[in-house]
Amino acid sequence: MGRHNRIVGMTSAFALLLVAGLSQGETLADFFAKSHINGQIRSYYFSRLYGSPSRVNAYAYTLAGRLNVRTARFLDGFHLGLSFYTANSLGTQPVNPARLDPTLMGRTSSLNALGQAYLEYANRWLKVTVGDQLVSTPWLNRVGGRVQPVTYQGIVAQVQPMAHLQLLGLRIFRWENRTNNTFQRNNLYYPGVIAGPNVLPETAPASNGALAFGARYAVSRLKSQIWFYQFDGFANMLYWQGGYVWRWHRQWSPFVDAQYTREWGAGQVFEATGTTLFGQNGQGVNSTDWGLKLGLRFPQGSLWWGYDTTLLHPGALGGGAIVSPYTVGYTADPLYVDAMIQGLVGVGPGHGWRVRAAYWFFSHQLQLTAGFSRFITYFSGNSNWTHFNVSYFPKGAFQGLCLRDQVEVGNGAGTRVPNPLFPGFGTHSFVYNRVMFTYRF
């Protein structure tokens, strides 16, 4: 369905709900007063310094905005939601396309998208959302760090049959990635989707989306969730995660977290197109990953260490690589070991560890974070990533403003593969910097 038809359809639905509201004796003024509008203004500048004479440095700037509208409740439980996203480079894109960082807003100078357009019904134990919407699950989510979030076209249902337990189910048909303005039947493995591995040929059959069922349980200091995903034509996945927090010495809270991922399936789209992952031929998807996270939260910050390993499965697609159609390349998966633009899913079977510290200053107005990640892989070499972040959240008249600078330095991954990862082609450091101003209203 085109953007024009979607806008016309949602406008018609909005008019109908106004009539419904009036029929219940509610005035237009009352209805709009109970509706909710919020948004963001974003000014982002990204730069990639490759430190190599064989590749030019890249950058991108955008001024962007988000506007979200959620109507008041009508017909005893219904809401309508809309989100519009816009971004413009203001004429700053380089003449040489090789110098552009397309992950920020794509390769166009202007991006406008109707990201959300949904109808929702909710009562005290059930919520059903139909249409274009944000989704929040471990392996199918909104993704962050850019001007436009990822949204999905489908239906999501949540049921709370008892206290502390939530059951969820969803069927996704299409998605709108973070640099596109239309919903499409593809994913990050398809050609042309920016930041993905793009390993499938142009002749690959269209994606049929995904089906998922999950359960979340949380009581006191214990939390756990389990999910089943069917990525149609790609893989089936079972994912479990659980964690516990102790109370120790007033506000000091040690915690432990664990996760397990198991994937299987024929990988029909890969098989039909003769596509491999990480240069490894294989019959079907067969992947296993487990991880552990240990840490400490204290009044002004936190410190944690995480470990993940993706087991080698000879004879499987990618040697046992995790197949994640909607997070690979986006660094949006739930594994504990990742970096600003790289994750264990994106480098294939192997293992890695990460340590991260965060501390707040000046009454939680200034936050400093630092992290270090190390990947040791079978097919993508070894690499390490050092990350620094400073964020300022002023209060008072500037409440809602965030000034942030993120820097990451990557090294390695150049000795075992002919086309190494980002960090400096094995001989130079790769430096990624993001300067981000955000205002929420």
Side-chain angles (χ1 to χ4, degrees):
M1 182 183 296
R3 281 190 299 159
H4 175 74
N5 291 338
R6 287 166 52 217
I7 293 173
V8 171
M10 293 307 298
T11 303
S12 301
F14 186 74
L16 289 174
L17 74 86
L18 288 180
V19 174
L22 289 173
S23 68
Q24 292 181 323
E26 187 174 51
T27 67
L28 279 174
D30 291 336
F31 184 82
F32 282 119
K34 295 177 182 178
S35 297
H36 186 62
I37 299 176
N38 62 47
Q40 296 182 18
I41 299 173
R42 296 186 169 195
S43 177
Y44 282 10
Y45 178 80
F46 289 7
S47 63
R48 294 174 176 238
L49 308 179
Y50 292 96
S52 171
S54 62
R55 186 163 186 179
V56 297
N57 298 331
Y59 67 91
Y61 170 78
T62 185
L63 179 64
R66 300 180 181 182
L67 184 65
N68 307 306
V69 179
R70 179 177 168 85
T71 69
R73 181 186 175 103
F74 66 97
L75 294 180
D76 197 27
F78 287 92
H79 295 270
L80 187 68
L82 294 169
S83 291
F84 179 72
Y85 312 126
T86 183
N88 197 294
S89 65
L90 301 182
T92 61
Q93 289 189 349
V95 176
N96 181 359
R99 289 191 175 276
L100 176 68
D101 179 358
T103 68
L104 180 57
M105 59 171 288
R107 294 184 173 88
T108 62
S109 61
S110 178
L111 180 66
N112 299 285
L114 183 63
Q116 291 198 97
Y118 63 84
L119 178 67
E120 179 183 286
Y121 173 79
N123 59 33
R124 66 183 184 84
W125 64 275
L126 171 68
K127 182 168 77 171
V128 179
T129 309
V130 180
D132 307 337
Q133 58 191 292
L134 296 169
V135 172
S136 180
T137 79
W139 292 91
L140 199 70
N141 53 61
R142 60 185 296 166
V143 186
R146 297 300 190 277
V147 296
Q148 176 176 304
V150 173
T151 53
Y152 302 85
Q153 193 173 86
I155 179 170
V156 178
Q158 302 179 35
V159 180
Q160 187 158 356
M162 55 183 289
H164 314 298
L165 177 65
Q166 186 181 64
L167 305 178
L168 303 97
L170 60 90
R171 178 67 172 100
I172 298 302
F173 302 100
R174 295 174 178 84
W175 77 324
E176 186 176 76
N177 67 60
R178 65 188 187 188
T179 55
N180 208 334
N181 62 359
T182 60
F183 284 81
Q184 299 180 336
R185 291 178 58 191
N186 61 14
N187 57 50
L188 288 159
Y189 290 110
Y190 284 77
V193 182
I194 294 172
N198 310 133
V199 292
L200 292 175
E202 295 283 353
T203 56
S207 167
N208 289 321
L211 174 72
F213 298 99
R216 294 173 177 152
Y217 183 77
V219 57
S220 184
R221 293 168 294 195
L222 174 68
K223 292 184 178 181
S224 184
Q225 60 179 327
I226 187 167
W227 287 88
F228 168 78
Y229 294 89
Q230 179 181 296
F231 301 114
D232 287 351
F234 288 85
N236 300 311
M237 174 188 284
L238 181 67
Y239 174 76
W240 170 84
Q241 177 270 331
Y244 187 79
V245 179
W246 287 269
R247 297 297 182 205
W248 174 60
H249 191 65
R250 296 180 181 176
Q251 297 180 351
W252 294 68
S253 302
F255 65 89
V256 60
D257 204 272
Q259 62 182 358
Y260 176 78
T261 307
R262 184 76 178 95
E263 265 194 315
W264 67 96
Q268 297 97 323
V269 176
F270 295 110
E271 183 180 20
T273 57
T275 301
T276 65
L277 294 178
F278 305 104
Q280 304 301 304
N281 293 312
Q283 295 296 317
V285 177
N286 183 11
S287 181
T288 307
D289 182 278
W290 63 268
L292 180 67
K293 184 177 180 180
L294 305 172
L296 175 68
R297 299 189 187 103
F298 44 91
Q300 300 300 323
S302 62
L303 173 66
W304 60 263
W305 170 89
Y307 176 86
D308 270 296
T309 180
T310 303
L311 303 182
L312 178 67
H313 287 288
L317 180 68
I322 294 177
V323 175
S324 181
Y326 298 96
T327 70
V328 62
Y330 277 177
T331 318
D333 58 74
L335 300 188
Y336 304 134
V337 182
D338 62 9
M340 198 159 78
I341 59 170
Q342 190 56 269
L344 193 59
V345 174
V347 295
H351 66 274
W353 57 272
R354 184 186 186 198
V355 61
R356 182 182 183 274
Y359 196 84
W360 286 94
F361 297 87
F362 309 120
S363 301
H364 280 75
Q365 292 187 72
L366 180 68
Q367 185 190 50
L368 301 180
T369 64
F372 181 85
S373 301
R374 174 73 172 167
F375 299 101
I376 299 107
T377 74
Y378 290 98
F379 310 120
S380 300
N382 305 330
S383 61
N384 59 74
W385 306 75
T386 305
H387 175 80
F388 299 97
N389 173 84
V390 55
S391 300
Y392 177 56
F393 302 87
K395 296 182 179 180
F398 297 100
Q399 185 81 28
L401 181 66
C402 173
L403 311 179
R404 175 174 294 155
D405 189 16
Q406 293 181 331
V407 179
E408 187 163 74
V409 180
N411 288 282
T415 59
R416 297 182 60 184
V417 288
N419 298 303
L421 300 175
F422 297 114
F425 301 88
T427 56
H428 305 277
S429 295
F430 165 73
V431 181
Y432 199 17
N433 188 32
R434 299 176 182 172
V435 180
M436 299 176 284
F437 294 177
T438 303
Y439 179 71
R440 300 176 182 269
F441 59 89

